[in-house]
Amino acid sequence: MAVTVSLVALFGLVLFFLLRSRTLGAGAAFIAAGFGFFLASTGAAKPINTLTESLIQTVSNL
């Protein structure tokens, strides 16, 4: 049985915990940017989705 989690929900949860713990660094900036891009349906969302899908497929094939 496979369980899928939306990237928006995942980034939102991680961002929530980073903000709550006041951990502000490069990782938090990446999470916030990813959350923003996936949450908003902008013109940049499609290339970012494509890049993310490629990275996920690459990691799963390792």
Side-chain angles (χ1 to χ4, degrees):
M1 181 166 108
V3 177
T4 59
V5 177
S6 170
L7 284 176
V8 172
L10 183 63
F11 277 135
L13 184 64
V14 172
L15 183 60
F16 170 78
F17 285 115
L18 287 173
L19 290 174
R20 185 170 176 170
S21 67
R22 298 179 192 231
T23 305
L24 303 173
F30 174 76
I31 296 297
F35 179 71
F37 278 116
F38 284 112
L39 186 60
S41 295
T42 64
K46 185 173 180 182
I48 291 174
N49 284 334
T50 304
L51 175 65
T52 304
E53 289 173 6
S54 297
L55 289 174
I56 290 170
Q57 288 178 356
T58 301
V59 169
S60 67
N61 289 333
L62 290 178

